[in-house]
Amino acid sequence: MNPVEQAFSDSLNDRGPDKSISTNKDRESVHRPLHEDEALCSYILSTVKAPAGALKIRQSTIPDSGSGLFTTRDLAAGELIFTSVPLVLCAEVGDSKEACDFCFQQRRRAIHPVEDRLAHPGETLPDVYKCMGCNLYQYCSESCWQRAWDTGHLYECGLLAGAPYELDIRMLYRILILLRKKVLLPEQVRALARLAHEQDKYEQFSSDWQGVKDIAAEAKQRMKSELDVADVLKLYCLIRCNSVPVDQTFRNSPLGSAIDLGAAMMNHNCEPSIVIVFNSTRVEVRAARNIKAGEELQHCYRDIAYDCTFRSPRIAARYQFKCQCDRCIRESNRHYEGASPDIDDPIIHILATQGDLFAFIEKAKIQALGFGKSFDVSTLLADIANITEEGHAGRRWPDDLEPLPIALKSLAALCEAQGDIINTLKIRVRALGYAKYRNTLPYAEDLIDFVVSLRAFTMYPHRKVVLDGPLPKFKEFEDFCVGHMCALYALMVRFYGEQGRVTRIIRDVMHEEIDKYYGPRPPTRPFRRKFKASHETILKWAGVDAKHWIVEIS
Ligand SMILES: C[S@@+](CC[C@H](N)C(=O)[O-])C[C@H]1O[C@@H](n2cnc3c(N)ncnc32)[C@H](O)[C@@H]1O
C-alpha cells in the first residue's frame, strides 16, 4: 500500500493519523465525533473560501445526525457563504448525457453551453468530444479532454473497458485510482475517510448487500487498489452519503457528482437555509433566506419540489436516515387529512397516481422527440384529468402537488416541440402558477424556459397561431414578459450572484426586452400596476387563481 492509501485506510479504520507515533490518546481523538476533532474541523474549514471565522463545525441541531456546519454571522438571502473546489468530480455518461467531464458546462438548457447567450430554439450545438480510449467520458472540446487527461484521466482510461454507467461506481473507481497514483494529498484523504458512511445501516436495509459487496470487489480488482475490499466497501458507502449532484436544478438529471469536504458537512432539511450552486466546477454556497448567526446551514438533498412520499424513501435509501422535518410532517398530515374516509391506506393510492403521472411525463418526452407527428392537446389534458380526478386517495389530486405541475411542464414542452406556442404558454402558466417552492433552483430553471417561450411569442406578434378561444391582448403579454424577465433576473442574482454567467446572460436579455418595450419603466409603480393587471388577466386565461402566483417586481 502506498502512503496515501495507507493514510486513507488508517483514518477510515480509526488507527490514528500516523501509526508510528500513535498513542492511546491519538486513538481516542480519532474515535471522537467529527465536530470534537478540532484539528480535522479546522482542516476541513481551511479547504473552503470564506471570511475568517465565519463557519464552525459543531454537533448538528438535528437529533442523531452527527456533525453539521454553522454560520457565525448573520447572512442575507442570496449572500455568498463559501466557495470551494471539490476533491473529486465525476460526470454522468451515456447517450442523452452530455456533461463535459472536465468543465461540466451544461448543454441541455436554454443557455448556450459555450457562448454567453441563450441558445436559439432548435439550434445545433457544437459536437461533444468522446475519449477514444475509454469511449465513456465526454468533453466539450479536445482541449477539455487534454486537460482532463493531464489531471488524472490518463491513469483510469485504460482500466475502464466495459465499466458501468452508474455514477457512484465510476466515482469509486476514480477515487481508488487517485489514491493509488497519489494524486490526492495525505491530509485530504485523512479528512475524506472521516466523512459519514453509514455502512451498518446500509447493510441492514439494503435489499442486495451482496451486490454492493461485489461492486467493491470488482472496483478493487479493476483499479488494482492495494486497499482491503472492506475499505473499498466503506468508501463506496461514503460516496453515496456525501457526494452532491453537480447542477442542483435537478430538472434535467444532474451533470455528475462531486465530493467536496465543505459541502459534505451540511445536513439535510426539506426547507433548506442554503443552496449549493455549481459555477462550472466550483461549488458556491449561498443563503436561500436570511440566516441568523449561530444557525446550522442545511440544504435539501433531493428535488425540493416533490413531496414527502417521493422524497423520503429516496433520501432514506441513499443517506440512511428518515427525515423528520416540519415539512415532512405537514405533508404527510395533508395526505391523511385530504383522503377520502373509505380508503384504508391513502399513501398506496397516492403513490399509484404519482406513478401514472410519471408515466405520462415519460410518454410526453418520447412524443416530443417524434417531430412531425401531431398530437391532440385536449386528449392529453383529458388523460391528466382522468389520472387526477380521484387520484388523491379518492379525492381530486391538488393542483400544486407534484408531479402534476411537472406533468404540465412536459406537456408544454411537447406543445413547444410541435410549434404550438399558444398552448405552450397557457400550459406553462398553469404549471408555474401552481408551483409551490418558488425560491429554488428548479423553479428558476423552469422560469428561464417560460421566459424563453414568452419571448418567442412577443418577438413575432404576427405569426399564425392556433386559438382555442379569445386570447389576452398582445400588449398584456408584453407587460407580462417584461415583468417576468425582471423577476427572473432578481432570482438569478440570488442564486448565481451579480457576476454569475447565467445572471449576466439573463441581464442582457432583460435589457433587450426593456429597450423595446413601450410602456412605463420597470420597476416604477406605474409599471408594477400595469404588470399586475396583465398578470391577472393572463392567469385567468390559463385557468389559474391569481392568489396562487403573486410576483413582486423590485
Ligand atoms: C453529507 S453527510 C452530513 C454530515 C454528517 N452529519 C456528518 O456528521 O459527517 C450526510 C449524513 O448526515 C446524516 N444526516 C444528514 N441530514 C440528516 C437529517 N436531516 N436527519 C438525520 N440524519 C441526517 C446522515 O447520516 C447522512 O448520511
Side-chain angles (χ1 to χ4, degrees):
M1 229 185 271
N2 73 42
V4 174
E5 287 175 321
Q6 190 67 59
F8 179 76
S9 175
D10 287 348
S11 188
L12 198 61
N13 295 295
D14 297 351
R15 283 194 292 263
D18 182 347
K19 277 190 297 176
S20 61
I21 55 157
S22 172
T23 61
N24 284 343
K25 202 157 168 280
D26 284 334
R27 269 168 229 268
E28 274 168 31
S29 77
V30 179
H31 277 293
R32 279 181 292 162
L34 202 148
H35 58 270
E36 287 178 15
D37 187 336
E38 243 173 72
L40 178 61
C41 291
S42 43
Y43 174 70
I44 291 176
L45 293 178
S46 77
T47 65
V48 310
K49 208 166 150 197
L55 297 169
K56 281 264 171 307
I57 295 172
R58 294 211 297 261
Q59 179 164 20
S60 170
T61 47
I62 306 167
D64 303 323
S65 68
S67 313
L69 189 65
F70 292 74
T71 172
T72 60
R73 58 188 184 121
D74 288 347
L75 297 159
E79 197 170 334
L80 187 61
I81 306 174
F82 71 83
T83 64
S84 63
V85 178
L87 275 188
V88 190
L89 287 129
C90 192
E92 284 279 10
V93 294
D95 282 346
S96 59
K97 318 280 183 182
E98 294 183 340
C100 172
D101 190 43
F102 183 75
C103 75
F104 285 79
Q105 202 62 271
Q106 172 64 268
R107 289 177 58 91
R108 288 165 295 158
R109 298 247 195 88
I111 308 283
H112 192 278
V114 187
E115 294 166 27
D116 285 351
R117 61 172 173 84
L118 293 177
H120 305 306
E123 179 175 0
T124 312
L125 299 178
D127 285 340
V128 282
Y129 183 94
K130 205 174 211 177
C131 173
M132 289 200 292
C134 63
N135 206 24
L136 199 63
Y137 288 105
Q138 301 173 111
Y139 303 92
C140 288
S141 59
E142 200 168 340
S143 85
C144 271
W145 169 79
Q146 187 66 57
R147 284 183 286 172
W149 182 263
D150 294 343
T151 50
H153 187 57
L154 82 162
Y155 300 126
E156 66 180 5
C157 186
L159 306 174
L160 290 173
Y165 279 9
E166 202 195 319
L167 187 55
D168 294 329
I169 300 180
R170 285 182 294 102
M171 176 64 104
L172 175 65
Y173 292 173
R174 186 161 285 182
I175 296 181
L176 288 177
I177 202 78
L178 294 179
L179 291 170
R180 180 157 83 79
K181 293 291 178 180
K182 296 182 272 185
V183 178
L184 294 173
L185 306 171
E187 59 267 34
Q188 289 177 322
V189 307
R190 273 191 211 109
L192 174 69
R194 295 290 306 279
L195 302 181
H197 56 69
E198 305 294 357
Q199 185 186 326
D200 294 346
K201 291 187 197 156
Y202 193 11
E203 179 171 1
Q204 193 182 342
F205 297 113
S206 169
S207 55
D208 181 19
W209 185 243
Q210 186 53 48
V212 179
K213 288 194 335 200
D214 292 346
I215 289 172
E218 145 123 45
K220 173 180 162 60
Q221 202 184 22
R222 188 189 272 270
M223 293 293 127
K224 304 182 175 38
S225 172
E226 296 284 326
L227 290 172
D228 291 346
V229 181
D231 288 353
V232 178
L233 187 59
K234 265 189 204 156
L235 174 58
Y236 180 66
C237 298
L238 183 153
I239 290 169
R240 289 178 58 91
C241 274
N242 292 281
S243 54
V244 285
V246 178
D247 169 26
Q248 305 225 329
T249 58
F250 288 104
R251 282 288 176 264
N252 302 302
S253 53
L255 298 174
S257 73
I259 298 273
D260 180 80
L261 294 176
M265 282 297 94
M266 289 186 287
N267 288 311
H268 162 86
N269 194 314
C270 301
E271 288 177 305
S273 52
I274 64 105
V275 59
I276 299 179
V277 173
F278 276 83
N279 183 350
S280 186
T281 52
R282 191 174 75 146
V283 168
E284 293 182 353
V285 174
R286 286 179 187 275
R289 55 164 170 80
N290 295 342
I291 305 177
K292 288 248 168 289
E295 264 192 69
E296 182 172 352
L297 304 174
Q298 296 169 340
H299 73 111
C300 186
Y301 287 2
R302 272 284 171 271
D303 192 332
I304 194 162
Y306 290 101
D307 93 308
C308 62
T309 53
F310 182 88
R311 232 178 21 253
S312 288
R314 283 159 182 81
I315 287 179
R318 184 167 182 102
Y319 303 94
Q320 312 302 328
F321 69 88
K322 177 159 172 37
C323 184
Q324 313 269 16
C325 74
D326 293 347
R327 181 180 159 196
C328 286
I329 295 167
R330 255 194 341 265
E331 287 178 346
S332 169
N333 289 344
R334 179 186 185 186
H335 288 319
Y336 283 97
E337 285 157 12
S340 160
D342 342 319
I343 300 235
D344 283 345
D345 187 350
I347 303 300
I348 292 181
H349 286 253
I350 286 162
L351 290 175
T353 307
Q354 246 177 35
D356 291 345
L357 286 168
F358 281 122
F360 177 90
I361 293 168
E362 274 314 300
K363 196 171 101 184
K365 269 191 203 157
I366 293 166
Q367 271 183 305
L369 295 174
F371 289 102
K373 250 176 102 190
S374 63
F375 68 96
D376 181 14
V377 191
S378 44
T379 314
L380 292 178
L381 282 169
D383 286 350
I384 294 185
N386 270 340
I387 298 172
T388 53
E389 198 178 358
E390 294 193 346
H392 194 257
R395 299 259 164 81
R396 201 170 161 266
W397 186 268
D399 286 319
D400 63 358
L401 183 59
E402 293 294 357
L404 178 53
I406 294 179
L408 289 172
K409 269 170 238 159
S410 63
L411 180 53
L414 178 51
C415 293
E416 193 159 46
Q418 313 252 351
D420 179 355
I421 186 75
I422 297 299
N423 273 313
T424 306
L425 281 180
K426 196 176 197 173
I427 297 169
R428 268 202 217 288
V429 172
R430 269 180 65 189
L432 287 179
Y434 286 114
K436 210 155 164 208
Y437 284 85
R438 295 222 166 85
N439 187 20
T440 63
L441 275 177
Y443 176 77
E445 201 55 33
D446 291 337
L447 199 56
I448 295 181
D449 289 346
F450 175 59
V451 164
V452 167
S453 42
L454 257 177
R455 278 185 87 221
F457 178 63
T458 55
M459 265 198 285
Y460 305 107
H462 305 300
R463 73 153 78 182
K464 261 179 92 178
V465 291
V466 182
L467 291 181
D468 64 354
L471 195 65
K473 292 192 195 87
F474 186 72
K475 186 75 190 74
E476 287 169 321
F477 276 109
E478 284 184 325
D479 305 335
F480 190 70
C481 183
V482 170
H484 278 291
M485 256 334 309
C486 297
L488 173 61
Y489 173 63
L491 210 54
M492 295 293 106
V493 172
R494 214 164 166 166
F495 289 130
Y496 298 105
E498 295 268 3
Q499 292 313 317
R501 174 172 177 259
V502 183
T503 314
R504 284 184 281 112
I505 295 171
I506 297 296
R507 181 170 45 218
D508 290 350
V509 179
M510 176 181 76
H511 285 150
E512 263 174 46
E513 286 300 311
I514 295 177
D515 285 348
K516 65 182 178 31
Y517 173 69
Y518 292 104
R521 296 288 86 180
T524 57
R525 192 186 286 179
F527 174 79
R528 294 207 304 268
R529 218 178 297 128
K530 222 168 175 0
F531 171 72
K532 187 167 182 282
S534 300
H535 194 253
E536 281 175 11
T537 309
I538 290 173
L539 257 54
K540 196 164 164 206
W541 164 69
V544 178
D545 187 334
K547 74 170 188 303
H548 279 285
W549 196 7
I550 293 163
V551 181
E552 301 291 346
I553 311 278
S554 51

